Amino acid sequence: MAGEVVLLNFWPSTFGLRVRIALAEKGIKYEYKEEDLSNKSPLLLEMNPIIKQIPVLIHNGKPVCESLLIVQYIDEVWNDKSPLLPSDPCQRAQARFWADFVDKKVYVASRKVWRPKREEQEEGKKEFLETLKTMEGELGDKPYFGGETFGYVDVSFIPFYSWFHAYKVLDNINIEAECPKIDAWAKRCLQKETVAKNFPDKKKVYEFVAQTRKKYVSA
Amino acid sequence: MAEVKLIGTSQSLNCIRIEWALKLKGVEYELIEEDLLNKSPLLLKYNPVHKKVPVLLHHGKPIAESHVILEYIDETWKNNPLLPEDPYERSMARFWAKFSDEKCIFGVYEAAWLEEGEEKQKAIQSAQELLAILEMQIEGKKYFGGEVIGFLDLVVGWIPRWLNAMEEVGSIKLLDAERFPSLHEWSQNFIANPVIKECIPPQEKLVNYFNFGISYRRSLAVAKP
């Protein structure tokens, strides 16, 4: 179960953050390696030759790629504490469905906010907020998506909160006002040490996002 | 006896893979055929988020998204396991399943729908590079799952017939037996399995389906270059 654990990551990545939180939830010690995505290391290219992306978890020399697959792997291998997925197959299916929704809808919509033309950005914003409202509907009055305890969907979604401040300042998207339950949920998650300790500084994320956006969006 | 229903269509590769899984496990189910051009209240009720097929109903509870459904089936009916037991092997099966669905199918579709020209040639080359990656995964094995059909075989199961149909409609040849001998052999083995054969739609039906889709796609490209 133990053995050597290495994480290849890029600090602002919401996908990498999922893995950091999952590792922390399980109390796993690991070696962290920061990647420069403009100059990918031979290790990254060797461990993820197909997609060439972070995060990559290397466990006893064997690579696991794709953030949600890594989180599931961590949950299955270190199954003695802090289960992330529920044990009931139907609830597990619901958890997988919503984590998949975060990837296929929330993330995809969030990128549309960066489209080059103004009216496309507005459309992107609208779509992004709609996906967040759908998540808000799913959360309902539960403290976490996992119910009483922090779980797989929470791990999958909370990293996106690290970018909300940037979206507010750069794109005038006020998620706190538009989706108050999501905002409250995020703040609740941030009270957990496993989340707070790994969360990047929101100002640094804002600077990074502002810099990167220049490549995609006209002034 | 558990009550299992599947809302789907008979030509959707995402739906057929669910039927394969249920049949491999000997699970009886009722297929509720959906008209995607006129979605039923049932589909909209049970998959309000995506409004897509397949949707599995088990004891009245809906499960959507084909990979999610496959894992649910595997966890609920434990005979004839689809996913490997070892967590690392499981993560690899899931990785290749994602690769097949997110890269390969779209790569092949792109090569099919593009009209003759440089872009089409590039797309053909890309699609073959993707198939070459799958070829490496099946080399030396009878099935992606090993000795028996597993999760990844069901997910890659679009290759024998859906790929053929796209090739025909797109006037392309991608799955060259010489270049991809292992994938080609796997394809023949897979489709010969009686359970697989039972659900697979006839070639003409898929050709019609892709003809419709590809013509429409081409018309969009003309309207908005």
Side-chain angles (χ1 to χ4, degrees):
Chain A
M1 192 189 291
E4 195 197 55
V5 181
V6 179
L7 174 63
L8 306 183
N9 192 33
F10 177 51
W11 70 269
S13 164
T14 50
F15 302 105
L17 187 49
R18 287 169 168 171
V19 180
R20 300 193 72 172
I21 292 170
L23 289 166
E25 282 286 303
K26 302 282 187 175
I28 299 164
K29 288 191 170 35
Y30 63 98
E31 185 189 346
Y32 180 90
K33 288 191 184 207
E34 186 70 34
E35 278 289 327
D36 172 2
L37 296 184
S38 62
N39 184 22
K40 291 174 182 177
S41 72
L43 182 66
L44 174 58
L45 299 176
E46 181 198 339
M47 291 289 149
N48 192 358
I50 307 294
I51 315 288
K52 305 178 176 61
Q53 276 292 8
I54 56 90
V56 179
L57 189 81
I58 311 171
H59 184 208
N60 292 330
K62 293 201 275 194
V64 184
C65 307
E66 296 297 302
S67 63
L68 290 182
L69 302 190
I70 300 172
V71 173
Q72 287 187 76
Y73 174 80
I74 288 168
D75 203 34
E76 286 169 14
V77 173
W78 288 273
N79 55 14
D80 56 336
K81 81 177 260 202
S82 305
L84 296 173
L85 274 164
S87 50
D88 168 68
C90 191
Q91 288 175 13
R92 286 163 80 82
Q94 296 312 317
R96 286 182 174 128
F97 174 89
W98 285 104
D100 178 72
F101 179 86
V102 173
D103 273 3
K104 287 204 178 103
K105 298 287 178 185
V106 180
Y107 171 66
V108 170
S110 74
R111 293 305 298 260
K112 289 181 182 177
V113 175
W114 291 9
R115 278 166 164 169
K117 293 180 190 162
R118 185 125 209 113
E119 70 261 2
E120 287 175 331
Q121 287 167 27
E122 288 308 310
E123 214 183 281
K125 273 190 219 178
K126 197 173 155 222
E127 204 180 308
F128 180 41
L129 278 170
E130 267 167 30
T131 65
L132 293 178
K133 285 184 177 156
T134 303
M135 290 302 288
E136 197 171 51
E138 171 55 21
L139 178 67
D141 293 316
K142 305 195 292 286
Y144 300 105
F145 284 93
E148 291 304 310
T149 51
F150 185 79
Y152 183 68
V153 181
D154 303 281
V155 172
S156 308
F157 187 33
I158 190 60
F160 289 85
Y161 184 73
S162 66
W163 286 44
F164 283 10
H165 172 72
Y167 278 115
K168 187 175 181 183
V169 178
L170 291 167
D171 304 292
N172 206 26
I173 304 177
N174 190 347
I175 296 159
E176 190 176 357
E178 299 271 356
C179 304
K181 279 184 175 168
I182 291 292
D183 191 71
W185 159 81
K187 287 171 171 142
R188 188 175 302 123
C189 291
L190 274 158
Q191 284 174 1
K192 288 176 63 66
E193 199 187 326
T194 54
V195 177
K197 253 188 156 175
N198 289 293
F199 235 61
D201 175 72
K202 68 181 182 188
K203 283 207 184 110
K204 283 194 178 151
V205 173
Y206 160 73
E207 279 159 16
F208 167 77
V209 173
Q211 257 312 103
T212 316
R213 277 198 73 188
K214 284 182 189 162
K215 295 184 205 166
Y216 296 96
V217 178
S218 49
Chain B
M1 171 83 114
E3 191 196 58
V4 182
K5 295 183 186 181
L6 176 65
I7 308 173
T9 72
S10 50
Q11 57 253 31
S12 155
L13 54 92
N14 287 322
C15 296
I16 303 297
R17 60 177 61 153
I18 305 303
E19 291 203 73
W20 285 332
L22 291 168
K23 284 198 195 287
L24 284 168
K25 301 242 183 200
V27 178
E28 296 212 2
Y29 63 97
E30 179 196 341
L31 176 67
I32 303 171
E33 187 88 33
E34 184 67 34
D35 174 4
L36 293 178
L37 296 174
N38 184 20
K39 292 176 182 178
S40 70
L42 194 74
L43 176 63
L44 300 177
K45 174 185 173 187
Y46 286 120
N47 192 0
V49 175
H50 297 301
K51 305 177 176 58
K52 284 182 179 174
V53 292
V55 179
L56 188 81
L57 291 171
H58 187 206
H59 298 306
K61 290 196 211 168
I63 294 157
E65 291 301 296
S66 70
H67 291 199
V68 176
I69 299 172
L70 287 174
E71 295 224 27
Y72 174 79
I73 289 170
D74 208 31
E75 289 171 2
T76 304
W77 292 277
K78 298 197 190 288
N79 60 313
N80 298 342
L82 298 172
L83 274 163
E85 243 189 79
D86 172 67
Y88 183 74
E89 296 302 321
R90 288 161 81 84
S91 74
M92 290 313 293
R94 288 170 179 147
F95 175 85
W96 291 116
K98 201 170 191 258
F99 175 77
S100 167
D101 273 3
E102 289 178 12
K103 307 271 179 204
C104 298
I105 297 178
F106 289 106
V108 168
Y109 190 74
E110 184 93 346
W113 83 259
L114 282 165
E115 307 259 29
E116 251 342 300
E118 203 186 308
E119 266 196 69
K120 190 176 179 80
Q121 291 310 309
K122 276 193 197 154
I124 290 170
Q125 199 184 338
S126 297
Q128 288 193 312
E129 282 165 15
L130 295 169
L131 290 178
I133 295 172
L134 285 181
E135 169 80 8
M136 273 168 41
Q137 302 318 306
I138 192 65
E139 236 162 49
K141 297 200 284 204
K142 185 173 183 193
Y143 297 111
F144 287 96
E147 283 307 305
V148 295
I149 288 174
F151 173 80
L152 188 51
D153 298 275
L154 300 187
V155 174
V156 183
W158 57 276
I159 285 183
R161 207 150 271 174
W162 282 262
L163 183 142
N164 284 353
M166 285 191 268
E167 282 177 327
E168 190 176 319
V169 173
S171 306
I172 52 175
K173 182 67 189 163
L174 294 174
L175 188 57
D176 174 351
E178 258 187 60
R179 193 174 157 181
F180 308 112
S182 303
L183 201 53
H184 191 260
E185 193 181 333
W186 164 83
S187 180
Q188 306 295 304
N189 275 334
F190 184 72
I191 209 176
N193 179 289
V195 169
I196 303 301
K197 212 177 357 190
E198 196 187 328
C199 310
I200 219 163
Q203 186 84 0
E204 319 163 356
K205 200 170 186 188
L206 289 177
V207 168
N208 285 343
Y209 170 78
F210 283 114
N211 250 329
F212 179 81
I214 283 176
S215 305
Y216 176 67
R217 184 71 184 85
R218 285 176 177 172
S219 72
L220 284 180
V222 167
K224 197 179 173 185

